[in-house]
Amino acid sequence: MDIQWYPGHMTKARRMMQEDIRLVDLVIELTDARAPLSGRNPDIDEIGKNKSRVILLNKADMADESLNRRWTAYFQNAGFFAAAVNSRSGAGMKQIQNIIQEACREKLERDQRRGIRNRPVRAMVAGIPNVGKSTFINSFAGKACTKTGNKPGVTRGKQWIRLNKNVELLDTPGILWPKIDDPAVGQRLAALGSVRDEILQAEELSLWVLDFIQGKYPGLLSRRYPIEEDGRPEELLGRIAKARGCLQKGGEPDYTKAAALVLDDFRSGRLGRITLEAPPASGI
């Protein structure tokens, strides 16, 4: 399954980020905790290479808790400031202010030596589509100051948000990169909803998700759906269709409806805490 999605507005957004990077002290990159490495746009590393960097594993409540800890340590060992957060519930958000101050300590100390006081840290918030940037900003600010949505591509323009006297955030549109070389990366991004569903083969994608869960998280499917977990993914999807009443005339399974159900249950976390990849060399 070769998945590619790079509409024209992403080219424009990338160019805008390249122009605006000179205005900020820090890049806060959000990535989905369920696929932390696949969900990182390599272009953001290039754009922010001379800036302080923070990586936040968002939607951590839907990811495998033990892998959240391992991924946080992985990014910290790679030289980033990193933390796992759930911006929707607010879990982990209290530490963000301190992380920002620590990440920009040299800049703040330099300002003090120059006699510059009360100049806020300016941070660019970046990430791929549907990773929760707007929800993060609203949660951090404690108010609804950006438009949010559960479809990739809601934020299109540049928005500055002053949180307090210490921090200003620049919200940016979610962008992918022009070519996804690794098919597994594309599958993970599609499963998470970071690619428009209209270009996907939902049934094939749902089979990939079922196969992964069956192999890595046995018991989760039978807990969510009253089905036996043995057999091929196609058989599992048929059983889920019957168990959930996704049927065509004559009682035959409606695989299209069942596929949409499985993907929605995965993306919403109703299937349980699932992470699609582990840090390199750890064998998932």
Side-chain angles (χ1 to χ4, degrees):
M1 183 167 33
D2 183 35
I3 295 168
Q4 306 291 337
W5 183 53
Y6 194 69
H9 74 266
M10 290 189 183
T11 302
K12 181 180 177 182
R14 186 187 190 282
R15 193 176 303 120
M16 181 178 70
M17 291 170 66
Q18 289 174 311
E19 294 171 354
D20 291 338
I21 192 68
R22 61 187 175 79
L23 304 175
V24 304
D25 310 297
L26 170 72
V27 175
I28 300 175
E29 181 184 354
L30 269 69
T31 187
D32 194 308
R34 294 169 292 179
L37 198 58
S38 293
R40 295 195 63 227
N41 184 342
D43 287 349
I44 294 174
D45 275 340
E46 177 62 26
I47 292 170
K49 61 185 176 183
N50 295 319
K51 302 293 180 178
S52 298
R53 301 292 303 280
V54 172
I55 293 180
L56 299 180
L57 281 69
N58 197 26
K59 306 184 183 182
D61 59 310
M62 292 190 259
D64 187 318
E65 192 169 5
S66 64
L67 284 170
N68 285 345
R69 293 191 291 270
R70 288 165 59 187
W71 273 113
T72 301
Y74 170 83
F75 287 122
Q76 289 171 342
N77 290 337
F80 299 95
F81 293 86
V85 301
N86 175 9
S87 55
R88 191 168 295 280
S89 72
M93 294 296 294
K94 290 183 179 179
Q95 62 184 316
I96 304 302
Q97 184 74 51
N98 289 336
I99 290 175
I100 290 174
Q101 297 299 311
E102 182 64 26
C104 294
R105 176 185 289 184
E106 290 185 10
K107 175 261 177 193
L108 295 171
E109 291 176 347
R110 188 166 59 249
D111 281 355
Q112 281 193 333
R113 290 195 299 270
R114 294 173 176 174
I116 302 171
R117 301 185 184 280
N118 301 321
R119 179 183 172 279
V121 170
R122 300 186 112 189
M124 176 182 286
V125 181
I128 67 172
N130 206 29
V131 78
K133 294 185 301 300
S134 295
T135 302
F136 162 74
I137 291 172
N138 291 342
S139 178
F140 194 17
K143 57 188 176 183
C145 52
T146 67
K147 185 178 180 181
T148 62
N150 60 1
K151 290 187 176 182
V154 169
T155 303
R156 291 292 183 92
K158 178 169 62 177
Q159 300 182 73
W160 278 104
I161 300 101
R162 187 177 179 90
L163 299 187
N164 50 51
K165 66 179 182 179
N166 297 317
V167 180
E168 290 181 355
L169 298 181
L170 174 60
D171 191 15
T172 61
I175 60 169
L176 293 172
W177 51 107
K179 181 171 173 53
I180 299 172
D181 293 318
D182 185 347
V185 169
Q187 288 168 326
R188 293 179 193 122
L189 296 182
L192 295 174
S194 293
V195 176
R196 283 205 183 279
D197 283 339
E198 289 80 2
I199 73 164
L200 301 176
Q201 296 174 325
E203 188 175 323
E204 186 178 353
L205 182 61
S206 72
L207 294 177
W208 182 85
V209 170
L210 289 173
D211 185 54
F212 181 88
I213 296 173
Q214 184 185 35
K216 299 296 184 182
Y217 294 93
L220 286 188
L221 294 175
S222 59
R223 194 176 307 159
R224 176 65 183 169
Y225 314 110
I227 63 168
E228 295 294 329
E229 285 196 19
D230 60 316
R232 296 178 293 111
E234 293 84 353
E235 296 171 313
L236 295 179
L237 189 60
R239 291 173 197 160
I240 291 169
K242 291 179 179 179
R244 284 291 186 261
C246 300
L247 304 174
Q248 300 175 352
K249 289 182 179 180
E252 289 299 310
D254 187 328
Y255 290 99
T256 301
K257 284 186 178 179
L261 174 71
V262 168
L263 292 177
D264 189 56
D265 281 350
F266 169 70
R267 291 169 180 172
S268 65
R270 287 190 289 269
L271 285 176
R273 301 185 66 161
I274 298 166
T275 298
L276 298 176
E277 60 184 352
S282 54
I284 197 170

